[in-house]
Amino acid sequence: SDPDLSSSNGFEMRGIRKVFGATVAVDDVALRVNLGEVCALVGQNGAGKSTLMSILSGALHPDAGEMTLGGTPYRPASPLDARKAGVAMIYQELSLAPHLSVAENMLLGVEPTRRGLLDWGSMRKTAAHVLERLGHRDIDPDASVASLSVAEQQLVEIGRALAVGSKVLVFDEPTSSLGRKDVLRLFELIRQLRAQQHAIVYISHFLEEVKEIADRIVVLRDGRVAGEGSA
């Protein structure tokens, strides 16, 4: 059943620990991000940012600790499980299928069916509605993803999260392959998502960007929270 995401907390992680062999990647980490908030997660490579977010998004399972989503216990079995629960990861390396259309990519794994067949009309309608919400009616739901620019492909990735009703969005180094103009567009979009009461985690190496877009900053060092505060 869908967790109640109407409470003030988007998600909370407590006592999260993850070990790979002799390496402690994440050690007793607590992180909470509310709905309507952009929280930046910063730290050097190897600080544990990606491991922590992989746990949140169902790609990894923690060795210890617990998570709640909208106040309800949350333990996703897989990334698809997490997406269905309302948590989506937007990776730096986009995980789209280039040969499929925009609509097919947006609903991959959660395709609507009618009498056992794919409901193409419903897929296009959902994709068009999401693109309109993102302010991009110019992108054709039937266009192949391979024909889009990097910035447009990123919109499809964000659209995929919104199409399944995700309330928690994690952006992993989202500006690394974007020009300044597209970065500003992305920031505008993130502010819009925040206003629509999404909980947003923003992972970045660029501190100027972090100051520009985040409400709060959490610093990870050697797998632990080294500090946090308002941006």
Side-chain angles (χ1 to χ4, degrees):
S1 67
D2 286 340
D4 169 29
L5 288 169
S6 61
S7 59
S8 64
N9 53 329
F11 73 86
E12 190 165 2
M13 307 174 86
R14 285 187 298 268
I16 301 293
R17 180 179 168 88
K18 184 69 185 174
V19 179
F20 299 103
T23 307
V24 180
V26 178
D27 188 16
D28 193 28
V29 168
L31 177 69
R32 173 183 173 151
V33 181
N34 293 326
L35 298 178
E37 178 181 38
V38 178
C39 176
L41 199 54
V42 300
Q44 294 179 319
N45 281 340
K49 305 185 300 292
S50 294
T51 301
L52 189 65
M53 289 301 102
S54 294
I55 289 169
L56 180 68
S57 66
L60 288 175
H61 300 290
D63 296 324
E66 52 187 39
M67 299 186 280
T68 57
L69 189 60
T72 308
Y74 165 71
R75 203 177 175 88
S78 67
L80 186 59
D81 199 24
R83 266 179 71 202
K84 285 177 174 170
V87 177
M89 189 103 180
I90 290 116
Y91 289 101
Q92 175 183 351
E93 301 299 327
L94 300 176
S95 54
L96 299 171
H99 58 289
L100 296 180
S101 72
V102 168
E104 287 170 311
N105 268 285
M106 278 194 187
L107 293 153
L108 208 54
V110 289
E111 296 89 348
T113 54
R114 261 179 89 180
R115 301 192 192 98
L117 298 171
L118 280 184
D119 187 348
W120 292 100
S122 171
M123 276 171 78
R124 284 194 193 95
K125 204 167 159 184
T126 299
H129 172 65
V130 168
L131 288 164
E132 190 169 337
R133 259 184 77 188
L134 294 172
H136 276 270
R137 294 163 76 171
D138 51 315
I139 297 176
D140 180 359
D142 289 324
S144 93
V145 158
S147 69
L148 304 178
S149 72
V150 174
E152 288 170 332
Q153 288 184 18
Q154 196 174 54
L155 277 165
V156 174
E157 189 88 66
I158 297 166
R160 176 195 272 187
L162 299 185
V164 294
S166 294
K167 291 299 281 182
V168 175
L169 302 179
V170 180
F171 289 86
D172 187 9
E173 299 284 352
T175 62
S176 50
S177 44
L178 297 181
R180 184 62 189 163
K181 207 166 123 188
D182 286 326
V183 169
L184 292 174
R185 278 202 193 123
L186 175 67
F187 283 0
E188 197 40 58
L189 183 54
I190 289 175
R191 289 187 186 104
Q192 190 184 320
L193 293 168
R194 175 177 60 191
Q196 291 167 3
Q197 291 301 296
H198 289 80
I200 294 163
V201 179
Y202 188 90
I203 301 173
S204 181
H205 279 96
F206 305 114
L207 290 180
E208 286 309 311
E209 278 186 9
V210 162
K211 285 193 210 153
E212 198 175 330
I213 194 64
D215 301 305
R216 191 160 56 89
I217 299 173
V218 173
V219 182
L220 285 188
R221 188 192 301 134
D222 300 328
R224 300 186 75 115
V225 173
E228 61 179 290
S230 115

